Amino acid sequence: MSATKSRKVVLVGATGLVGSAIIQTLERFPIDPEPLVLMATKKSADRKVRFRGTEMRVEEFDPSAFDDAWVVFFSGKDGLSEKYCPIAAGKGAWVIDNSAVFRMADGVPLVVPEVNPHEIGPAPRLIANPNCSTVQLAVVLNPIRKNFGLKRVIVSTYQSASGAGSEYLAQLNRDTAESLEKGFGGLDASSLAFNCLPDVGSQDIDGKFSEEVKLENELRKILGMPDLPVCATAVRVPTQVGHGESVVIETEKPADPDEVRSLLGESDGIAVEDEFEAREFPTPRKATGMDDVYVGRIRRAGIFENDLAFWVVADNLLKGAALNAVQIALYIREREKAALVHE
Ligand SMILES: NC(=O)c1ccc[n+]([C@@H]2O[C@H](COP(=O)([O-])OP(=O)(O)OC[C@H]3O[C@@H](n4cnc5c(N)ncnc54)[C@H](OP(=O)(O)O)[C@@H]3O)[C@@H](O)[C@H]2O)c1
């Protein structure tokens, strides 16, 4: 069977936060994997997972599962992606990778389906899924860029604990319970419980942390604006799911807040919730479990001649990872179906 006609889908990292969200998202979209192969480490082998009403067994990671695969989703660790994504792609599978390893690699498309799906060509078969904070910002900035031009972006993130994986989320929950029981005294100042941490990721260049550098570089690549000035400050906050972003932009042309509200409200993948009088705005809790990127607090910033300030929230496990990855697979599936009709 050619890779194009295969419907075999392999998920590496099936027991993680993103992997679990990919399984739930695949249930909702007409991708119909046949078979769906779920893989994780040896310790998770034989775990049972439900997919469309059927109980499925998680297998220990084995790269021979890539044989005849149509799509392989990677949602494991960076090192695993680095070694095995090229192997899976070399076997003819479309590889959609959630790690940071290939995102900035020349020739590897970094794709948000609402923004740049056309960058998926017949090759390479390796496609990078962007960082969670980048996806939601790119979805919102793209229509603004097209209509008003974009001169600079200043963004501060309020990133939930789930963005750092299941172990980090579990640690936050343990620390929170301990603080409530015993008081704050025993907790290290670097614990996220009842705290905010302005140092997300590893130390990078010029006093920036890696999460900030990822956001800045990935945004430029996705929007196709290599020289766009972007300044990101990434902050981890003790929410469970859903990343918030406070954004200030300078535009080329004047952008009236009402006009931007209408524009964003009509754009794919965006929901505007912006009721100043009623104080109705997006929050991480509201965005959890939702597909859309939510925008509110749209207003003039009052610091550049043409500017805007606004607040963006999305479910980091869905649009920030699993949903975006599945939408990429769906785009490929639809393109292949159209090609088969013309064969
Ligand atoms: N969390 C987010 O919001 C988010 C957003 C965008 C991108 N990402 C990226 O998505 C990836 C997964 O993130 P996550 O939050 O889901 O992490 P996670 O909850 O820690 O899950 C990691 C998954 O990878 C599996 N795994 C680890 N090492 C493996 C190995 N050697 N062989 C096979 N499977 C292995 C784990 O299996 P076991 O359960 O058996 O250990 C688990 O299923 C990461 O690259 C992350 O940077 C995450």
Side-chain angles (χ1 to χ4, degrees), residues 58-262:
V58 175
E59 299 170 24
E60 182 179 354
F61 175 71
D62 175 358
S64 69
F66 303 152
D67 294 346
D68 291 327
W70 169 60
V71 161
V72 181
F73 292 103
F74 276 83
S75 63
K77 301 284 179 219
D78 280 7
L80 196 68
S81 288
E82 189 165 22
K83 181 165 180 194
Y84 289 105
C85 285
I87 292 174
K91 289 186 177 186
W94 288 100
V95 174
I96 303 172
D97 180 35
N98 279 288
S99 85
V101 177
F102 299 103
R103 290 178 188 153
M104 293 309 297
D106 281 345
V108 175
L110 180 66
V111 175
V112 176
E114 290 86 346
V115 181
N116 60 344
H118 50 273
E119 289 185 24
I120 304 173
R125 292 207 156 218
L126 170 53
I127 299 158
N129 211 33
N131 183 33
C132 36
S133 312
T134 318
V135 176
Q136 62 188 66
L137 189 55
V139 167
V140 174
L141 289 183
N142 191 47
I144 295 177
R145 172 189 65 116
K146 282 188 183 160
N147 284 269
F148 303 103
L150 195 54
K151 279 177 86 171
R152 70 188 75 241
V153 179
I154 303 161
V155 52
S156 299
T157 71
Y158 299 66
Q159 297 181 221
S160 65
S162 62
S166 49
E167 281 177 23
Y168 192 85
L169 183 61
Q171 184 67 47
L172 168 66
N173 292 339
R174 281 194 298 273
D175 286 358
T176 304
E178 195 183 314
S179 297
L180 288 172
E181 198 185 314
K182 301 182 188 162
F184 297 106
L187 275 188
D188 191 277
S190 65
S191 168
L192 185 61
F194 302 102
N195 210 357
C196 295
L197 303 174
D199 56 339
V200 185
S202 55
Q203 283 99 337
D204 211 300
I205 49 162
D206 300 334
K208 293 172 193 266
F209 283 90
S210 57
E211 189 75 0
E212 295 160 346
V213 175
K214 279 185 214 170
L215 209 171
E216 294 172 0
N217 289 339
E218 291 179 22
L219 190 67
R220 294 186 188 104
K221 180 168 174 175
I222 295 163
L223 295 178
M225 301 178 75
D227 300 322
L228 179 69
V230 186
C231 174
T233 303
V235 182
R236 186 79 64 197
V237 299
T239 48
Q240 300 271 302
V241 177
H243 290 353
E245 293 179 336
S246 164
V247 188
V248 175
I249 58 170
E250 184 180 12
T251 51
E252 299 279 354
K253 293 189 265 177
D256 173 69
D258 283 334
E259 212 181 328
V260 172
R261 242 171 246 121
S262 306

Side-chain angles (χ1 to χ4, degrees), residues 266-331:
E266 289 160 6
S267 300
D268 283 348
I270 300 177
V272 175
E273 186 184 15
D274 204 11
E275 298 295 334
F276 185 73
E277 294 303 330
R279 303 177 83 116
E280 289 285 342
F281 305 113
T283 64
R285 276 187 183 227
K286 285 184 192 170
T288 297
M290 308 302 278
D291 287 349
D292 281 332
V293 175
Y294 287 78
V295 191
R297 301 291 324 278
I298 301 169
R299 62 202 190 277
R300 286 291 318 272
I303 55 172
F304 302 116
E305 190 181 346
N306 298 321
D307 67 13
L308 278 177
F310 49 89
W311 169 244
V312 180
V313 189
D315 185 321
N316 52 293
L317 299 174
L318 287 177
K319 188 55 191 165
L323 173 64
N324 200 71
V326 171
Q327 285 173 325
I328 290 171
L330 194 62
Y331 175 84

